[in-house]
Amino acid sequence: MPHTRALHPTRRGLLAAGGALGLGAALAACGDGKGEAGDSGKGTAAGRSGPWSFTDDRGTTVKLGKVPANIVAFTGVAAALYDYGIQVKGVFGPTRTKDGKADVQAGDMDVSKVTVLGNSWGQFSIEKYAALAPDVLISTMFDSTGTLWYVPDESKKKIAQLAPSVGVSVYDRQLTRPLQRVWELAGSLGADMKTAEVTAAKKRFEEASARLRAAARAKPGLKVLAGSAGEQLFYVSGTNLSIDLEYFKALGVDFVEPPESAKKQGGGWYESLSWENVDKYPADIIMMDDRTSALQPAGITKATWRRLPAVKAGQVIARSPEPILSYGKCVPLLNGLAVALEKAKKVR
């Protein structure tokens, strides 16, 4: 499942029904925490007076009378903002695992200190959202139409009435673009983007990118497959549309590329294979979806999987199809693939 939608026929098609709270009651619960719109073209540091505005990747400019304090965000975005010193009040999306621990997409956040509006696809409590008196909602976007990730279709109109939204596109572009956008967003929300920790993380990202480029150049004969496992199907991602794979490819990594005709069922993102056909694309290295929605390599018992040359050679690594968009969190993704290339042998 290259993306969470691989659990569903379409990204939005099987969203669960939205919250039942009436719009009037929701608006009443929200109160007036948003303030009046300002007309400044730049964000101001948190705690200072003055207006705030931010133009998102839909071309929509959100203007408020003050820097947002009550921020609600998709879990992965919240985790990125946390790395820059911005604490959100509420989150939606994969946040806690079944045993109550932080989901991989929650990063370093203390998930006990945020209100979880919904932990899985289609879940979004409008009642809890309204009670937070949100100033702004922030999410990523996986299509060209401005659809906010993990905001249910059935309740998006009610949700939109409670606070303005900011969308960061992660569709059909390289990783560096959304990373820069979240960097800019964090700065507008009051984060100090000049601290030694923040600037060092950005430098490490640049160094890791250079390392991956060098590793790919040194091992031009290696083929990498980006996969994701489900109980019934195995999914092979193409590089187009995915921010991480597009960037890795630009750095010189040679990926398995399913033909466009094979990716139609996956909306252009991936090809679905039966486990009997998991060996359709020979590969030297396999990158596997690390999200909790996917079956992890240690739990795959299929004989066809165990017979794959890359699996037998121990050349299977993790991939984060929805990277936490802070420079620090993306460094291990680059270094992990670089190390795999440096150590791998051709097994096809």
Side-chain angles (χ1 to χ4, degrees):
M1 287 153 285
H3 291 275
T4 302
R5 74 162 185 179
L7 294 170
H8 315 280
T10 67
R11 285 185 180 275
R12 319 304 302 183
L14 296 183
L15 280 173
L21 182 66
L23 179 58
L27 290 170
C30 181
D32 60 356
K34 294 187 290 296
E36 297 296 319
D39 55 10
S40 171
K42 296 182 180 180
T44 55
R48 297 179 183 176
S49 60
W52 176 87
S53 71
F54 188 83
T55 301
D56 73 1
D57 289 337
R58 298 169 296 187
T60 299
T61 299
V62 177
K63 296 182 179 182
L64 299 174
K66 60 181 180 180
V67 175
N70 295 343
I71 302 169
V72 173
F74 171 68
T75 302
V77 175
L81 292 176
Y82 181 86
D83 287 350
Y84 293 132
I86 302 296
Q87 177 70 56
V88 307
K89 296 293 180 68
V91 296
F92 53 96
T95 306
R96 297 191 183 103
T97 58
K98 292 180 179 179
D99 59 4
K101 296 180 180 179
D103 187 275
V104 64
Q105 291 185 256
D108 294 330
M109 283 194 303
D110 183 344
V111 296
S112 69
K113 294 184 178 180
V114 293
T115 298
V116 180
L117 307 180
N119 198 63
S120 61
W121 188 262
Q123 294 181 353
F124 193 112
S125 172
I126 298 179
E127 294 90 339
K128 290 182 179 180
Y129 183 53
L132 291 173
D135 294 322
V136 68
L137 179 148
I138 308 170
S139 190
T140 49
M141 301 181 297
F142 278 91
D143 59 34
S144 60
T145 64
T147 303
L148 296 174
W149 192 226
Y150 266 80
V151 174
D153 278 342
E154 289 79 0
S155 52
K156 65 181 181 181
K157 291 183 179 179
K158 293 179 181 179
I159 292 167
Q161 291 293 322
L162 295 169
S165 63
V166 167
V168 177
S169 180
V170 290
Y171 175 75
D172 196 19
R173 60 197 60 204
Q174 293 182 24
L175 177 62
T176 46
R177 287 181 63 186
L179 274 174
Q180 181 62 31
R181 293 297 282 145
V182 172
W183 170 283
E184 295 166 358
L185 177 60
S188 80
L189 292 170
D192 185 350
M193 309 309 288
K194 296 182 180 180
T195 66
E197 181 179 0
V198 170
T199 55
K202 195 169 186 179
K203 183 179 180 181
R204 290 198 308 274
F205 177 86
E206 294 166 353
E207 292 170 345
S209 296
R211 179 180 182 179
L212 180 54
R213 186 189 297 276
R217 186 181 299 117
K219 295 286 188 74
L222 295 180
K223 202 78 169 179
V224 181
L225 182 148
S228 185
E231 292 292 342
Q232 303 300 322
L233 296 171
F234 184 83
Y235 305 88
V236 180
S237 289
T239 57
N240 290 339
L241 307 182
S242 297
I243 58 172
D244 61 329
L245 301 185
E246 286 202 12
Y247 186 53
F248 299 158
K249 182 180 179 180
L251 293 175
V253 179
D254 187 10
F255 283 96
V256 167
E257 296 283 5
E260 291 303 315
S261 58
K263 296 189 293 180
K264 284 185 178 180
Q265 185 180 5
W269 294 80
Y270 58 87
E271 178 181 1
S272 304
L273 299 176
S274 67
W275 281 104
E276 289 75 16
N277 295 316
V278 72
D279 60 352
K280 180 177 180 179
Y281 299 107
D284 301 298
I285 298 171
I286 301 175
M287 302 177 68
M288 290 294 288
D289 188 342
D290 69 353
R291 293 172 299 179
T292 52
S293 58
L295 185 63
Q296 298 305 302
I300 302 175
T301 60
K302 306 290 186 181
T304 48
W305 165 260
R306 295 197 301 268
R307 288 198 295 265
L308 292 177
V311 175
K312 292 171 68 175
Q315 295 177 177
V316 178
I317 64 172
R319 176 201 170 204
S320 298
E322 294 183 63
I324 293 173
L325 295 171
S326 69
Y327 286 100
K329 286 294 186 296
C330 289
V331 169
L333 309 184
L334 291 157
N335 281 335
L337 182 52
V339 169
L341 287 169
E342 291 163 358
K343 294 182 177 180
K345 297 179 180 180
K346 190 172 183 179
V347 296
R348 288 174 292 136

